[in-house]
PDB file of all heavy atoms in Angstrom:
ATOM      1  N   ILE A 268      -7.069  -6.158  20.464  1.00 94.00           N
ATOM      2  CA  ILE A 268      -6.039  -7.180  20.194  1.00 94.00           C
ATOM      3  C   ILE A 268      -5.000  -6.679  19.182  1.00 94.00           C
ATOM      4  O   ILE A 268      -4.121  -7.391  18.770  1.00 94.00           O
ATOM      5  CB  ILE A 268      -6.687  -8.486  19.645  1.00 94.00           C
ATOM      6  CG1 ILE A 268      -7.283  -8.265  18.248  1.00 94.00           C
ATOM      7  CG2 ILE A 268      -7.689  -9.043  20.617  1.00 94.00           C
ATOM      8  CD1 ILE A 268      -7.210  -9.528  17.405  1.00 94.00           C
ATOM      9  N   LEU A 269      -5.073  -5.386  18.875  1.00 91.00           N
ATOM     10  CA  LEU A 269      -4.208  -4.849  17.821  1.00 91.00           C
ATOM     11  C   LEU A 269      -2.706  -4.882  18.260  1.00 91.00           C
ATOM     12  O   LEU A 269      -1.832  -5.010  17.393  1.00 91.00           O
ATOM     13  CB  LEU A 269      -4.599  -3.424  17.473  1.00 91.00           C
ATOM     14  CG  LEU A 269      -4.301  -2.944  16.061  1.00 91.00           C
ATOM     15  CD1 LEU A 269      -4.759  -3.938  15.010  1.00 91.00           C
ATOM     16  CD2 LEU A 269      -4.931  -1.570  15.822  1.00 91.00           C
ATOM     17  N   ASP A 270      -2.476  -4.801  19.558  1.00 88.00           N
ATOM     18  CA  ASP A 270      -1.086  -4.811  20.021  1.00 88.00           C
ATOM     19  C   ASP A 270      -0.595  -6.205  20.396  1.00 88.00           C
ATOM     20  O   ASP A 270       0.503  -6.342  20.897  1.00 88.00           O
ATOM     21  CB  ASP A 270      -0.944  -3.877  21.196  1.00 88.00           C
ATOM     22  CG  ASP A 270      -1.212  -2.422  20.782  1.00 88.00           C
ATOM     23  OD1 ASP A 270      -0.878  -2.076  19.623  1.00 88.00           O
ATOM     24  OD2 ASP A 270      -1.758  -1.676  21.603  1.00 88.00           O
ATOM     25  N   THR A 271      -1.397  -7.200  20.118  1.00 89.00           N
ATOM     26  CA  THR A 271      -0.944  -8.544  20.433  1.00 89.00           C
ATOM     27  C   THR A 271      -0.049  -9.068  19.319  1.00 89.00           C
ATOM     28  O   THR A 271       0.115  -8.425  18.280  1.00 89.00           O
ATOM     29  CB  THR A 271      -2.134  -9.535  20.596  1.00 89.00           C
ATOM     30  OG1 THR A 271      -2.876  -9.539  19.360  1.00 89.00           O
ATOM     31  CG2 THR A 271      -3.066  -9.070  21.722  1.00 89.00           C
ATOM     32  N   GLU A 272       0.504 -10.261  19.528  1.00 86.00           N
ATOM     33  CA  GLU A 272       1.487 -10.823  18.603  1.00 86.00           C
ATOM     34  C   GLU A 272       0.934 -11.070  17.224  1.00 86.00           C
ATOM     35  O   GLU A 272       1.583 -10.866  16.228  1.00 86.00           O
ATOM     36  CB  GLU A 272       1.993 -12.127  19.197  1.00 86.00           C
ATOM     37  CG  GLU A 272       3.455 -12.371  19.034  1.00 86.00           C
ATOM     38  CD  GLU A 272       3.857 -13.539  19.879  1.00 86.00           C
ATOM     39  OE1 GLU A 272       3.973 -13.385  21.121  1.00 86.00           O
ATOM     40  OE2 GLU A 272       4.012 -14.643  19.309  1.00 86.00           O
ATOM     41  N   PHE A 273      -0.340 -11.533  17.203  1.00 87.00           N
ATOM     42  CA  PHE A 273      -0.918 -11.888  15.926  1.00 87.00           C
ATOM     43  C   PHE A 273      -2.349 -11.275  15.816  1.00 87.00           C
ATOM     44  O   PHE A 273      -3.341 -11.960  16.029  1.00 87.00           O
ATOM     45  CB  PHE A 273      -0.981 -13.433  15.791  1.00 87.00           C
ATOM     46  CG  PHE A 273      -1.313 -13.874  14.400  1.00 87.00           C
ATOM     47  CD1 PHE A 273      -0.695 -13.299  13.279  1.00 87.00           C
ATOM     48  CD2 PHE A 273      -2.246 -14.906  14.192  1.00 87.00           C
ATOM     49  CE1 PHE A 273      -1.018 -13.733  11.992  1.00 87.00           C
ATOM     50  CE2 PHE A 273      -2.574 -15.345  12.923  1.00 87.00           C
ATOM     51  CZ  PHE A 273      -1.952 -14.748  11.824  1.00 87.00           C
ATOM     52  N   PRO A 274      -2.388  -9.997  15.475  1.00 93.00           N
ATOM     53  CA  PRO A 274      -3.673  -9.297  15.460  1.00 93.00           C
ATOM     54  C   PRO A 274      -4.429  -9.651  14.170  1.00 93.00           C
ATOM     55  O   PRO A 274      -4.101  -9.167  13.089  1.00 93.00           O
ATOM     56  CB  PRO A 274      -3.305  -7.828  15.481  1.00 93.00           C
ATOM     57  CG  PRO A 274      -1.932  -7.757  14.896  1.00 93.00           C
ATOM     58  CD  PRO A 274      -1.281  -9.097  15.063  1.00 93.00           C
ATOM     59  N   VAL A 275      -5.412 -10.507  14.297  1.00 95.00           N
ATOM     60  CA  VAL A 275      -6.123 -10.928  13.075  1.00 95.00           C
ATOM     61  C   VAL A 275      -7.655 -10.984  13.271  1.00 95.00           C
ATOM     62  O   VAL A 275      -8.121 -11.453  14.299  1.00 95.00           O
ATOM     63  CB  VAL A 275      -5.572 -12.302  12.555  1.00 95.00           C
ATOM     64  CG1 VAL A 275      -5.624 -13.339  13.637  1.00 95.00           C
ATOM     65  CG2 VAL A 275      -6.328 -12.774  11.319  1.00 95.00           C
ATOM     66  N   ALA A 276      -8.355 -10.416  12.297  1.00 97.00           N
ATOM     67  CA  ALA A 276      -9.821 -10.529  12.272  1.00 97.00           C
ATOM     68  C   ALA A 276     -10.224 -11.635  11.338  1.00 97.00           C
ATOM     69  O   ALA A 276      -9.590 -11.798  10.298  1.00 97.00           O
ATOM     70  CB  ALA A 276     -10.426  -9.184  11.781  1.00 97.00           C
ATOM     71  N   ARG A 277     -11.191 -12.434  11.757  1.00 98.00           N
ATOM     72  CA  ARG A 277     -11.692 -13.540  10.884  1.00 98.00           C
ATOM     73  C   ARG A 277     -13.154 -13.365  10.609  1.00 98.00           C
ATOM     74  O   ARG A 277     -13.951 -13.177  11.494  1.00 98.00           O
ATOM     75  CB  ARG A 277     -11.446 -14.876  11.542  1.00 98.00           C
ATOM     76  CG  ARG A 277     -10.008 -15.319  11.552  1.00 98.00           C
ATOM     77  CD  ARG A 277      -9.827 -16.655  12.221  1.00 98.00           C
ATOM     78  NE  ARG A 277      -8.411 -16.812  12.530  1.00 98.00           N
ATOM     79  CZ  ARG A 277      -7.476 -17.107  11.626  1.00 98.00           C
ATOM     80  NH1 ARG A 277      -7.814 -17.313  10.348  1.00 98.00           N
ATOM     81  NH2 ARG A 277      -6.214 -17.181  11.982  1.00 98.00           N
ATOM     82  N   LEU A 278     -13.504 -13.509   9.309  1.00 98.00           N
ATOM     83  CA  LEU A 278     -14.898 -13.406   8.928  1.00 98.00           C
ATOM     84  C   LEU A 278     -15.229 -14.639   8.104  1.00 98.00           C
ATOM     85  O   LEU A 278     -14.472 -15.030   7.223  1.00 98.00           O
ATOM     86  CB  LEU A 278     -15.139 -12.170   8.023  1.00 98.00           C
ATOM     87  CG  LEU A 278     -14.749 -10.811   8.620  1.00 98.00           C
ATOM     88  CD1 LEU A 278     -13.321 -10.432   8.219  1.00 98.00           C
ATOM     89  CD2 LEU A 278     -15.699  -9.752   8.110  1.00 98.00           C
ATOM     90  N   THR A 279     -16.376 -15.237   8.442  1.00 98.00           N
ATOM     91  CA  THR A 279     -16.775 -16.434   7.686  1.00 98.00           C
ATOM     92  C   THR A 279     -18.251 -16.371   7.313  1.00 98.00           C
ATOM     93  O   THR A 279     -19.075 -15.896   8.114  1.00 98.00           O
ATOM     94  CB  THR A 279     -16.677 -17.733   8.548  1.00 98.00           C
ATOM     95  OG1 THR A 279     -15.820 -17.450   9.664  1.00 98.00           O
ATOM     96  CG2 THR A 279     -16.070 -18.852   7.773  1.00 98.00           C
ATOM     97  N   ALA A 280     -18.560 -16.796   6.098  1.00 98.00           N
ATOM     98  CA  ALA A 280     -19.951 -16.871   5.706  1.00 98.00           C
ATOM     99  C   ALA A 280     -20.237 -18.199   5.016  1.00 98.00           C
ATOM    100  O   ALA A 280     -19.404 -18.689   4.226  1.00 98.00           O
ATOM    101  CB  ALA A 280     -20.316 -15.736   4.749  1.00 98.00           C
ATOM    102  N   GLU A 281     -21.401 -18.770   5.322  1.00 98.00           N
ATOM    103  CA  GLU A 281     -21.881 -19.934   4.606  1.00 98.00           C
ATOM    104  C   GLU A 281     -22.957 -19.443   3.664  1.00 98.00           C
ATOM    105  O   GLU A 281     -23.916 -18.795   4.108  1.00 98.00           O
ATOM    106  CB  GLU A 281     -22.550 -20.959   5.574  1.00 98.00           C
ATOM    107  CG  GLU A 281     -21.685 -21.343   6.737  1.00 98.00           C
ATOM    108  CD  GLU A 281     -20.656 -22.439   6.373  1.00 98.00           C
ATOM    109  OE1 GLU A 281     -20.772 -22.955   5.225  1.00 98.00           O
ATOM    110  OE2 GLU A 281     -19.792 -22.708   7.197  1.00 98.00           O
ATOM    111  N   VAL A 282     -22.766 -19.716   2.370  1.00 98.00           N
ATOM    112  CA  VAL A 282     -23.648 -19.127   1.385  1.00 98.00           C
ATOM    113  C   VAL A 282     -24.253 -20.210   0.518  1.00 98.00           C
ATOM    114  O   VAL A 282     -23.566 -21.107   0.050  1.00 98.00           O
ATOM    115  CB  VAL A 282     -22.815 -18.174   0.467  1.00 98.00           C
ATOM    116  CG1 VAL A 282     -23.758 -17.374  -0.448  1.00 98.00           C
ATOM    117  CG2 VAL A 282     -21.932 -17.276   1.261  1.00 98.00           C
ATOM    118  N   GLU A 283     -25.572 -20.083   0.302  1.00 98.00           N
ATOM    119  CA  GLU A 283     -26.236 -20.989  -0.658  1.00 98.00           C
ATOM    120  C   GLU A 283     -26.347 -20.241  -1.972  1.00 98.00           C
ATOM    121  O   GLU A 283     -26.892 -19.132  -2.018  1.00 98.00           O
ATOM    122  CB  GLU A 283     -27.593 -21.367  -0.132  1.00 98.00           C
ATOM    123  CG  GLU A 283     -28.206 -22.527  -0.890  1.00 98.00           C
ATOM    124  CD  GLU A 283     -29.586 -22.904  -0.356  1.00 98.00           C
ATOM    125  OE1 GLU A 283     -29.658 -23.253   0.837  1.00 98.00           O
ATOM    126  OE2 GLU A 283     -30.547 -22.832  -1.122  1.00 98.00           O
ATOM    127  N   ARG A 284     -25.812 -20.845  -3.036  1.00 97.00           N
ATOM    128  CA  ARG A 284     -25.815 -20.156  -4.324  1.00 97.00           C
ATOM    129  C   ARG A 284     -26.319 -21.080  -5.449  1.00 97.00           C
ATOM    130  O   ARG A 284     -26.226 -22.301  -5.336  1.00 97.00           O
ATOM    131  CB  ARG A 284     -24.379 -19.777  -4.742  1.00 97.00           C
ATOM    132  CG  ARG A 284     -23.643 -18.927  -3.735  1.00 97.00           C
ATOM    133  CD  ARG A 284     -22.280 -18.539  -4.305  1.00 97.00           C
ATOM    134  NE  ARG A 284     -21.503 -19.717  -4.659  1.00 97.00           N
ATOM    135  CZ  ARG A 284     -20.314 -19.666  -5.252  1.00 97.00           C
ATOM    136  NH1 ARG A 284     -19.730 -18.511  -5.499  1.00 97.00           N
ATOM    137  NH2 ARG A 284     -19.601 -20.784  -5.508  1.00 97.00           N
ATOM    138  N   ALA A 285     -26.761 -20.481  -6.567  1.00 96.00           N
ATOM    139  CA  ALA A 285     -27.112 -21.267  -7.713  1.00 96.00           C
ATOM    140  C   ALA A 285     -25.896 -22.027  -8.220  1.00 96.00           C
ATOM    141  O   ALA A 285     -25.982 -23.147  -8.730  1.00 96.00           O
ATOM    142  CB  ALA A 285     -27.683 -20.376  -8.805  1.00 96.00           C
ATOM    143  N   ALA A 286     -24.717 -21.429  -8.122  1.00 94.00           N
ATOM    144  CA  ALA A 286     -23.486 -22.014  -8.631  1.00 94.00           C
ATOM    145  C   ALA A 286     -22.866 -23.004  -7.635  1.00 94.00           C
ATOM    146  O   ALA A 286     -21.723 -23.420  -7.845  1.00 94.00           O
ATOM    147  CB  ALA A 286     -22.489 -20.926  -8.959  1.00 94.00           C
ATOM    148  N   GLY A 287     -23.589 -23.369  -6.591  1.00 96.00           N
ATOM    149  CA  GLY A 287     -23.026 -24.290  -5.600  1.00 96.00           C
ATOM    150  C   GLY A 287     -22.718 -23.586  -4.290  1.00 96.00           C
ATOM    151  O   GLY A 287     -22.395 -22.367  -4.301  1.00 96.00           O
ATOM    152  N   ASN A 288     -22.843 -24.285  -3.192  1.00 97.00           N
ATOM    153  CA  ASN A 288     -22.659 -23.659  -1.897  1.00 97.00           C
ATOM    154  C   ASN A 288     -21.192 -23.231  -1.700  1.00 97.00           C
ATOM    155  O   ASN A 288     -20.323 -23.780  -2.288  1.00 97.00           O
ATOM    156  CB  ASN A 288     -23.088 -24.604  -0.769  1.00 97.00           C
ATOM    157  CG  ASN A 288     -24.577 -24.647  -0.656  1.00 97.00           C
ATOM    158  OD1 ASN A 288     -25.298 -24.167  -1.558  1.00 97.00           O
ATOM    159  ND2 ASN A 288     -25.077 -25.206   0.444  1.00 97.00           N
ATOM    160  N   LEU A 289     -21.073 -22.200  -0.858  1.00 98.00           N
ATOM    161  CA  LEU A 289     -19.770 -21.601  -0.678  1.00 98.00           C
ATOM    162  C   LEU A 289     -19.479 -21.359   0.804  1.00 98.00           C
ATOM    163  O   LEU A 289     -20.345 -20.894   1.540  1.00 98.00           O
ATOM    164  CB  LEU A 289     -19.752 -20.243  -1.415  1.00 98.00           C
ATOM    165  CG  LEU A 289     -18.530 -19.346  -1.172  1.00 98.00           C
ATOM    166  CD1 LEU A 289     -17.302 -19.919  -1.856  1.00 98.00           C
ATOM    167  CD2 LEU A 289     -18.782 -17.931  -1.696  1.00 98.00           C
ATOM    168  N   HIS A 290     -18.294 -21.764   1.221  1.00 98.00           N
ATOM    169  CA  HIS A 290     -17.833 -21.432   2.544  1.00 98.00           C
ATOM    170  C   HIS A 290     -16.698 -20.414   2.338  1.00 98.00           C
ATOM    171  O   HIS A 290     -15.634 -20.746   1.856  1.00 98.00           O
ATOM    172  CB  HIS A 290     -17.271 -22.692   3.261  1.00 98.00           C
ATOM    173  CG  HIS A 290     -16.716 -22.430   4.587  1.00 98.00           C
ATOM    174  ND1 HIS A 290     -17.469 -22.468   5.753  1.00 98.00           N
ATOM    175  CD2 HIS A 290     -15.479 -22.081   4.974  1.00 98.00           C
ATOM    176  CE1 HIS A 290     -16.698 -22.177   6.786  1.00 98.00           C
ATOM    177  NE2 HIS A 290     -15.482 -21.950   6.317  1.00 98.00           N
ATOM    178  N   MET A 291     -17.009 -19.143   2.653  1.00 98.00           N
ATOM    179  CA  MET A 291     -16.023 -18.085   2.408  1.00 98.00           C
ATOM    180  C   MET A 291     -15.387 -17.620   3.708  1.00 98.00           C
ATOM    181  O   MET A 291     -16.111 -17.356   4.660  1.00 98.00           O
ATOM    182  CB  MET A 291     -16.790 -16.924   1.722  1.00 98.00           C
ATOM    183  CG  MET A 291     -15.922 -15.698   1.478  1.00 98.00           C
ATOM    184  SD  MET A 291     -14.700 -15.967   0.195  1.00 98.00           S
ATOM    185  CE  MET A 291     -15.627 -15.412  -1.224  1.00 98.00           C
ATOM    186  N   GLU A 292     -14.068 -17.582   3.731  1.00 98.00           N
ATOM    187  CA  GLU A 292     -13.408 -17.187   4.935  1.00 98.00           C
ATOM    188  C   GLU A 292     -12.336 -16.160   4.633  1.00 98.00           C
ATOM    189  O   GLU A 292     -11.490 -16.396   3.737  1.00 98.00           O
ATOM    190  CB  GLU A 292     -12.734 -18.426   5.538  1.00 98.00           C
ATOM    191  CG  GLU A 292     -12.188 -18.234   6.908  1.00 98.00           C
ATOM    192  CD  GLU A 292     -11.529 -19.460   7.491  1.00 98.00           C
ATOM    193  OE1 GLU A 292     -11.710 -20.582   6.914  1.00 98.00           O
ATOM    194  OE2 GLU A 292     -10.765 -19.320   8.449  1.00 98.00           O
ATOM    195  N   VAL A 293     -12.393 -15.048   5.283  1.00 98.00           N
ATOM    196  CA  VAL A 293     -11.368 -14.010   5.086  1.00 98.00           C
ATOM    197  C   VAL A 293     -10.692 -13.735   6.427  1.00 98.00           C
ATOM    198  O   VAL A 293     -11.335 -13.565   7.446  1.00 98.00           O
ATOM    199  CB  VAL A 293     -11.967 -12.696   4.562  1.00 98.00           C
ATOM    200  CG1 VAL A 293     -10.933 -11.582   4.501  1.00 98.00           C
ATOM    201  CG2 VAL A 293     -12.553 -12.907   3.173  1.00 98.00           C
ATOM    202  N   ALA A 294      -9.360 -13.712   6.411  1.00 97.00           N
ATOM    203  CA  ALA A 294      -8.585 -13.315   7.591  1.00 97.00           C
ATOM    204  C   ALA A 294      -7.888 -12.011   7.272  1.00 97.00           C
ATOM    205  O   ALA A 294      -7.235 -11.886   6.240  1.00 97.00           O
ATOM    206  CB  ALA A 294      -7.561 -14.390   7.961  1.00 97.00           C
ATOM    207  N   VAL A 295      -8.066 -11.021   8.123  1.00 96.00           N
ATOM    208  CA  VAL A 295      -7.407  -9.730   7.945  1.00 96.00           C
ATOM    209  C   VAL A 295      -6.354  -9.604   8.994  1.00 96.00           C
ATOM    210  O   VAL A 295      -6.627  -9.530  10.191  1.00 96.00           O
ATOM    211  CB  VAL A 295      -8.424  -8.561   8.068  1.00 96.00           C
ATOM    212  CG1 VAL A 295      -7.742  -7.238   7.729  1.00 96.00           C
ATOM    213  CG2 VAL A 295      -9.615  -8.811   7.172  1.00 96.00           C
ATOM    214  N   VAL A 296      -5.086  -9.609   8.560  1.00 94.00           N
ATOM    215  CA  VAL A 296      -3.997  -9.526   9.514  1.00 94.00           C
ATOM    216  C   VAL A 296      -3.526  -8.081   9.634  1.00 94.00           C
ATOM    217  O   VAL A 296      -3.195  -7.442   8.625  1.00 94.00           O
ATOM    218  CB  VAL A 296      -2.836 -10.414   9.054  1.00 94.00           C
ATOM    219  CG1 VAL A 296      -1.701 -10.420  10.091  1.00 94.00           C
ATOM    220  CG2 VAL A 296      -3.314 -11.827   8.787  1.00 94.00           C
ATOM    221  N   GLY A 297      -3.563  -7.546  10.847  1.00 91.00           N
ATOM    222  CA  GLY A 297      -3.134  -6.149  11.070  1.00 91.00           C
ATOM    223  C   GLY A 297      -1.619  -6.065  11.130  1.00 91.00           C
ATOM    224  O   GLY A 297      -0.935  -7.056  11.084  1.00 91.00           O
ATOM    225  N   ARG A 298      -1.162  -4.807  11.255  1.00 82.00           N
ATOM    226  CA  ARG A 298       0.291  -4.584  11.369  1.00 82.00           C
ATOM    227  C   ARG A 298       0.815  -5.305  12.604  1.00 82.00           C
ATOM    228  O   ARG A 298       0.192  -5.342  13.641  1.00 82.00           O
ATOM    229  CB  ARG A 298       0.551  -3.099  11.560  1.00 82.00           C
ATOM    230  CG  ARG A 298       0.704  -2.350  10.256  1.00 82.00           C
ATOM    231  CD  ARG A 298       1.161  -0.918  10.572  1.00 82.00           C
ATOM    232  NE  ARG A 298       0.242  -0.245  11.463  1.00 82.00           N
ATOM    233  CZ  ARG A 298      -0.840   0.396  11.068  1.00 82.00           C
ATOM    234  NH1 ARG A 298      -1.109   0.471   9.807  1.00 82.00           N
ATOM    235  NH2 ARG A 298      -1.659   0.970  11.920  1.00 82.00           N
ATOM    236  N   THR A 299       1.984  -5.865  12.484  1.00 74.00           N
ATOM    237  CA  THR A 299       2.594  -6.607  13.601  1.00 74.00           C
ATOM    238  C   THR A 299       4.113  -6.408  13.578  1.00 74.00           C
ATOM    239  O   THR A 299       4.709  -6.163  12.556  1.00 74.00           O
ATOM    240  CB  THR A 299       2.182  -8.093  13.500  1.00 74.00           C
ATOM    241  OG1 THR A 299       3.166  -8.852  14.229  1.00 74.00           O
ATOM    242  CG2 THR A 299       2.157  -8.597  12.076  1.00 74.00           C
TER     243      THR A 299
END
Side-chain angles (χ1 to χ4, degrees):
I268 68 149
L269 208 49
D270 295 327
T271 61
E272 221 168 284
F273 192 45
V275 54
R277 285 180 197 284
L278 303 92
T279 343
E281 307 279 351
V282 190
E283 193 179 301
R284 304 184 303 178
N288 282 14
L289 171 72
H290 177 91
M291 176 70 92
E292 189 182 345
V293 173
V295 185
V296 184
R298 272 187 305 273
T299 156

